[in-house]
Amino acid sequence: MEKQKLVLIGNGMAGMNCIEEILKKNPNMFDISVFGSEPHDNYNRILLSTVLQGNTKVEDITLKNRAWYDEHDIVLYKGETVLKVDTDNKTLITDQNREVPYDKLIFATGSVPFVLPIPGSDKEGVISFRTIEDCQKIINVSKTGKKAAVIGGGLLGLEAARGLLNLGMEVDVVHIADSLMERQLDPTAAKMLQLELEKQGMNFLLEKATEEIIGDTHVEGLRFKDGSVIEADAVIMAVGVKPNVQMAKDSGLETKRAILVNDYLETSVTDIYAVGECVEHREMVYGLVKPLYEQGRILAEKICGIESVGYQGSTLSTQLKIAGIDVFSVGQFYADEDSKTISQYDELSGNYKKIILKEDKVIGAVLFGDTQPGNKLLDIISKQKVITDEEKMLILHASDQTSQVASMEQTELICNCNAVPKGTIIEACQSQGLTTVEEVKQCTKASSACGGCKPLVTDLLMYIQSEDFDEVIEKKPMCACTTLTDEEIVSEMQVKNLASIHDVMKELGWSKQEGCSTCVPALQYYLGMIYPEYELNKESLFINQRMNATKQKDGTFSLTPQSYGGVTNAAELRKIANVVEKYEIPNVAITSEQRVHLFGVKEDNLKDIWRDLDLQLSSTFGNTVQNIKTCIGETVCTCEKHHALQLAVELEKKTDYLVTPHRIKMGVSACMHNGAGSTTKDIGVIQFDRGWEIYVGGSSGRNALPGQLLCVADSEEEVIGIIIGFIQYYRETAKFAERTWDWISRVNLLHIREVLFDKDLREQLIESLGNDAYQNRKALEKSVQI
């Protein structure tokens, strides 16, 4: 089959990362050509500041050299600019009069520096800070000049200022706002940063609007709108960037601030895509590495014909070391009327932490000095986890004396840009003998993008090589089809937006393309939890609430008419009796949960039986909440039963057909005689004179296990709320096939109580379960086959 022609316009980080993802997914699908306006191989633009500061050389920030392009049969046109795309004839024209045809085209043209439209901005000595050439110009200016002015108090401006100080120049940082990095830091953290940078020699002129760059042909200084003047031998323009979209606009692509794309990074023109800083997605333009790499992964799937849920936007976070000072921010870091703030400010140690919460979920944070909790906060926000009081205290009171990497879970990300968790790095170090950051970078890609995680990688290496390190990667893979654990798979599914069993198996390297009886149901369950709209496997034995049967070994089927709480009536019993007689069903039994069970049903009779019964059927197969066992006075007990039966009915209706990690058995006992055996169920309830006792984690199986008392509830309403919250928390945090008692042992009963006794958290869990149950019922009702 002839390969398609794929052309990439832009040789930067976002575009080439996308090409790398395409090569991973289908290395033989395309003939690839790349056009780059700069005369360089693909390099890490983010690390230009380290070149300016003298810490690295240009060759050290190269990501893909010419040998890499040759190895992958990619044609690279360096120093050649695409002028226009002829979308009708599917060709592009360059500034060297080259015409190149394409089948698929990707715009990754990035951004261009924004230059203030003020008098004098074209004078010699006015330099932007965006390319290797810009970096060299600044270094050359420092050899003759003594004083520089940096316009812009954002990240780029501060990094340039630090480099100029290292080059021996005096530096004034001019910023129009009243605080530094106002898009990443709140006023407190910004002030702390300013004080630290002033100690290093920077001078700041805040709330200054530049009116003119003065001098004859060369820069001599700046004049501000308030009339004040400063001297300068060079002016570094670092006021921001704007998407480089003019050529796309001239070629007929729809643009606003940037090139408009949908969730699959498709532009308004067929077979043309866009990725990176030149893209506007859902009214957002991203400039950080992590979201651009996430876009690249989605685009690679799309262009290779792999189904996915598309790009849903990114959680923005910034983890930086500015001139040796650690700062971190993520999400919304200003409180409003719907949110609350917890903070800690230690002026002596120079540490500041602020967390913004909404309904006990973290929506934003700012850290200064001690940024150890940054990765944990990002993980909590990205996965919408509920944060407990204990976790809040751990984050606020984390100490520099405590090893951050030692306390991290192995599934927590070290490198957010490339989604590399701690466990992956430990495993690589142990299996391949890695000892340096460069080796880790080459092997796992950690720290190869923005470089913000390099200190964390360094700390992890030191920890691995220390006497305190005692972690062993005892991975228990999900099954023989993969080397990944359940936790790693779920994390990858969330990070990479994998939304089908096929995507998971292909993207995560399954050894068996069709999977097995262990991993297929597990993946199906996890997909349903991550994506509530995910449809159940239509080959399941579940049909729907009125068409449901379980196939037996002898080829016949069994079915159980639903009677919530074991309560029925004459009309229902009459229907059942008529069906048994009409279709000569050989076996009828009463189950231990007080349900009528019909078995020995012939397949040819199923449709007619479903029609004649016209009753909702119970699901007795698979990992669901099973029928609740009640006690109705079959013993000498004559205690009142009505309230217990009503409670069982309500619980069953709320959990009907709800998929769970493992089967959940429940019992509701009307009195302390415990006629339903509630103390040996996954969840059990016993009524007594002052309320209801709730037990969890019991088993009545071959190895009987007594349940633990979770709590005592005052009312039926409270019982239902706590049990629904318990089931949903189990669904959200247990591994597939993990029994309730194993889960309780792993996460700790005290922690479960803390979550459930928090009224707001419990309400969120109840709401989530209700939404999941609704989606599950919709999916079941769609299916009409056995």
Side-chain angles (χ1 to χ4, degrees):
M1 183 175 175
E2 188 177 349
K3 291 184 179 181
Q4 297 184 66
K5 294 180 175 61
L6 172 64
V7 177
L8 172 71
I9 305 175
N11 190 31
M13 295 172 68
M16 288 309 301
N17 178 263
C18 179
I19 293 295
E20 194 170 7
E21 292 290 334
I22 290 170
L23 291 172
K24 287 180 186 176
K25 291 170 173 55
N26 197 331
N28 301 312
M29 189 171 181
F30 297 104
D31 281 327
I32 302 173
S33 300
V34 178
F35 286 87
S37 294
E38 294 185 55
H40 306 286
D41 294 328
N42 174 240
Y43 68 91
N44 191 332
R45 194 181 305 279
I46 300 167
L47 297 183
L48 275 177
S49 58
T50 64
V51 175
L52 184 63
Q53 293 165 17
N55 299 325
T56 56
K57 297 177 181 178
V58 170
E59 52 265 31
D60 296 331
I61 65 172
T62 298
L63 295 173
K64 294 172 178 64
N65 58 25
R66 191 56 188 251
W68 185 90
Y69 293 87
D70 293 341
E71 179 186 345
H72 293 90
D73 296 322
I74 295 173
V75 179
L76 173 63
Y77 299 97
K78 292 192 295 186
E80 188 165 350
T81 302
V82 176
L83 298 179
K84 189 173 181 180
V85 176
D86 182 346
T87 58
D88 293 329
N89 297 308
K90 300 184 83 168
T91 59
L92 52 85
I93 301 97
T94 75
D95 60 355
Q96 295 185 21
N97 295 319
R98 192 189 309 272
E99 287 193 25
V100 178
Y102 69 85
D103 296 305
K104 306 282 186 184
L105 178 65
I106 300 174
F107 273 80
T109 48
S111 295
V112 292
F114 181 75
V115 178
L116 289 176
I118 55 176
S121 60
D122 56 347
K123 294 185 186 299
E124 187 180 346
V126 178
I127 308 168
S128 299
F129 185 30
R130 181 70 179 168
T131 66
I132 289 175
E133 283 71 26
D134 292 336
C135 197
Q136 190 57 55
K137 287 178 185 177
I138 294 172
I139 293 171
N140 291 338
V141 164
S142 70
K143 294 176 181 178
T144 56
K146 295 182 178 179
K147 189 170 183 179
V150 175
I151 303 179
L155 172 63
L156 194 64
L158 297 179
E159 291 284 15
R162 179 64 260 179
L164 290 162
L165 285 176
N166 286 6
L167 292 168
M169 300 188 78
E170 297 178 34
V171 182
D172 287 327
V173 177
V174 179
H175 196 44
I176 196 167
D178 59 359
S179 63
L180 302 176
M181 293 184 65
E182 69 278 6
R183 294 184 180 179
Q184 289 88 21
L185 303 177
D186 70 351
T188 302
K191 188 63 178 176
M192 295 174 74
L193 176 63
Q194 180 181 338
L195 292 172
E196 289 297 321
L197 293 176
E198 284 174 344
K199 291 177 185 177
Q200 297 182 17
M202 292 185 203
N203 181 50
F204 293 96
L205 303 172
L206 302 181
E207 297 184 89
K208 287 283 190 180
T210 306
E211 185 176 63
E212 181 185 4
I213 299 174
I214 55 179
D216 292 328
T217 58
H218 193 280
V219 171
E220 295 179 13
L222 298 178
R223 178 179 290 109
F224 303 109
K225 289 186 178 179
D226 62 8
S228 58
V229 175
I230 61 169
E231 294 181 358
D233 301 310
V235 172
I236 311 303
M237 196 76 74
V239 291
V241 295
K242 58 183 180 180
N244 184 12
V245 298
Q246 189 58 50
M247 189 268 292
K249 191 173 183 178
D250 294 342
S251 300
L253 275 66
E254 190 176 348
T255 64
K256 286 186 179 177
R257 283 192 299 157
I259 302 170
L260 294 177
V261 298
N262 61 16
D263 289 353
Y264 298 96
L265 289 305
E266 296 171 304
T267 71
S268 59
V269 177
T270 303
D271 290 330
I272 298 183
Y273 309 83
V275 67
E277 290 178 299
C278 64
V279 158
E280 181 174 343
H281 172 262
R282 297 186 186 180
E283 300 184 346
M284 283 291 295
V285 177
Y286 296 95
L288 299 174
V289 175
K290 182 174 181 284
L292 305 189
Y293 280 12
E294 289 173 353
Q295 289 177 1
R297 283 193 287 269
I298 296 297
L299 176 51
E301 290 173 350
K302 175 63 181 177
I303 215 164
C304 291
I306 300 170
E307 291 186 7
S308 74
V309 294
Y311 179 57
Q312 303 299 308
S314 299
T315 300
L316 295 179
S317 66
T318 309
Q319 175 124 17
L320 307 164
K321 185 181 282 289
I322 303 168
I325 303 161
D326 290 312
V327 298
F328 172 88
S329 72
V330 61
Q332 176 184 323
F333 50 84
Y334 287 103
D336 55 29
E337 58 185 17
D338 296 324
S339 59
K340 298 177 182 177
T341 302
I342 55 175
S343 61
Q344 181 190 64
Y345 179 32
D346 186 343
E347 191 172 2
L348 289 176
S349 65
N351 289 329
Y352 170 64
K353 298 172 185 174
K354 182 171 81 170
I355 303 173
I356 310 296
L357 301 111
K358 184 177 182 180
E359 298 176 349
D360 284 293
K361 289 186 178 179
V362 180
I363 61 172
V366 176
L367 307 175
F368 183 93
D370 175 16
T371 59
Q372 284 191 17
N375 276 34
K376 187 172 187 65
L377 282 165
L378 181 57
D379 184 65
I380 288 170
I381 293 174
S382 298
K383 297 178 180 176
Q384 288 287 290
K385 294 179 179 177
V386 170
I387 185 170
T388 64
D389 290 338
E390 181 184 9
E391 287 172 319
K392 293 173 191 172
M393 291 304 102
L394 285 173
I395 289 170
L396 286 176
H397 299 291
S399 167
D400 287 328
Q401 311 305 316
T402 306
S403 171
Q404 177 183 1
V405 290
S407 61
M408 289 175 68
E409 296 290 336
Q410 290 185 359
T411 55
E412 287 188 54
L413 295 180
I414 293 286
C415 175
N416 285 297
C417 296
N418 291 294
V420 184
K422 171 185 173 182
T424 297
I425 297 176
I426 292 177
E427 184 181 16
C429 289
Q430 291 177 339
S431 62
Q432 301 186 41
L434 312 182
T435 58
T436 67
V437 173
E438 186 60 31
E439 289 174 343
V440 170
K441 180 167 72 173
Q442 293 300 322
C443 181
T444 69
K445 297 188 74 175
S447 80
S448 66
C450 75
C453 66
K454 188 174 181 180
L456 207 55
V457 175
T458 303
D459 290 346
L460 180 55
L461 284 172
M462 292 175 63
Y463 170 57
I464 293 171
Q465 295 163 14
S466 72
E467 294 181 357
D468 296 328
F469 180 72
D470 58 359
E471 296 186 41
V472 179
I473 304 294
E474 293 181 351
K475 296 206 311 181
K476 185 179 179 182
M478 176 183 281
C479 64
C481 303
T482 177
T483 59
L484 301 175
T485 65
D486 287 61
E487 293 91 341
E488 289 171 332
I489 291 166
V490 171
S491 178
E492 290 289 288
M493 288 165 70
Q494 291 174 309
V495 168
K496 296 182 178 179
N497 294 318
L498 305 178
S500 72
I501 291 176
H502 175 269
D503 287 352
V504 173
M505 291 179 175
K506 184 163 186 175
E507 185 71 21
L508 303 186
W510 243 243
S511 59
K512 288 185 182 178
Q513 190 173 1
E514 70 282 0
C516 66
S517 59
T518 298
C519 62
V520 170
L523 292 177
Q524 186 174 337
Y525 176 75
Y526 292 138
L527 285 166
M529 291 304 299
I530 296 170
Y531 309 107
E533 70 280 3
Y534 176 78
E535 288 192 19
L536 293 175
N537 182 358
K538 292 183 179 177
E539 295 178 359
S540 169
L541 288 174
F542 299 109
I543 310 304
N544 64 31
Q545 292 166 304
R546 289 183 179 271
M547 297 174 67
N548 181 18
T550 304
K551 193 172 185 177
Q552 306 299 315
K553 286 186 177 179
D554 62 2
T556 64
F557 288 78
S558 65
L559 48 85
T560 305
Q562 178 61 284
S563 49
Y564 293 116
V567 178
T568 187
N569 55 51
E572 290 179 353
L573 289 172
R574 192 171 290 114
K575 279 186 178 182
I576 295 170
N578 290 339
V579 164
V580 170
E581 187 175 34
K582 180 178 178 180
Y583 296 99
E584 300 178 348
I585 297 175
N587 298 301
V588 181
I590 305 299
T591 69
S592 61
E593 293 88 17
Q594 300 96 31
R595 304 309 192 275
V596 177
H597 185 62
L598 313 179
F599 53 105
V601 178
K602 296 176 182 178
E603 183 174 352
D604 292 343
N605 293 334
L606 275 176
K607 288 185 179 179
D608 294 331
I609 289 173
W610 287 328
R611 183 196 64 230
D612 291 352
L613 270 178
D614 191 28
L615 294 173
Q616 183 166 316
L617 300 178
S618 171
S619 170
T620 58
F621 182 87
N623 291 342
T624 61
V625 179
Q626 304 291 288
N627 292 325
I628 297 177
K629 184 174 183 179
T630 60
C631 51
I632 52 176
E634 61 269 29
T635 65
V636 294
C637 169
T638 58
C639 301
E640 190 273 329
K641 307 291 192 304
H642 176 72
H643 292 294
L645 286 175
Q646 283 299 111
L647 177 63
V649 169
E650 288 300 312
L651 282 171
E652 280 198 332
K653 286 182 176 179
K654 289 182 179 294
T655 58
D656 207 11
Y657 282 85
L658 190 71
V659 179
T660 50
H662 200 280
R663 291 188 304 278
I664 291 181
K665 293 186 177 181
M666 296 175 63
V668 177
S669 297
C671 63
M672 297 306 290
H673 292 111
N674 193 17
S678 298
T679 51
T680 53
K681 298 286 191 297
D682 292 280
I683 302 171
V685 183
I686 301 177
Q687 185 178 13
F688 71 116
D689 57 355
R690 288 177 288 110
W692 306 80
E693 293 178 343
I694 302 176
Y695 293 85
V696 293
S699 171
S700 57
R702 185 172 182 180
N703 298 311
L705 185 70
Q708 302 180 64
L709 181 65
L710 176 65
C711 66
V712 175
D714 295 328
S715 66
E716 293 169 43
E717 183 182 8
E718 186 179 5
V719 172
I720 292 172
I722 288 173
I723 289 178
I724 294 298
F726 176 87
I727 292 173
Q728 183 63 11
Y729 198 53
Y730 169 60
R731 295 179 74 235
E732 291 181 358
T733 58
K735 302 174 186 176
F736 182 75
E738 186 175 29
R739 301 302 300 261
T740 55
W741 52 86
D742 290 326
W743 172 69
I744 291 168
S745 174
R746 180 167 61 85
V747 303
N748 193 293
L749 186 61
L750 290 175
H751 170 75
I752 295 171
R753 284 178 182 147
E754 184 181 23
V755 171
L756 296 180
F757 293 169
D758 185 307
K759 187 176 179 181
D760 291 338
L761 299 186
R762 190 167 74 235
E763 287 299 321
Q764 290 175 42
L765 291 169
I766 292 170
E767 182 180 355
S768 296
L769 183 139
N771 293 336
D772 289 354
Y774 173 73
Q775 293 287 352
N776 198 48
R777 282 193 292 271
K778 281 177 61 180
L780 285 167
E781 288 165 3
K782 287 182 181 179
S783 182
V784 293
Q785 63 184 65
I786 300 173

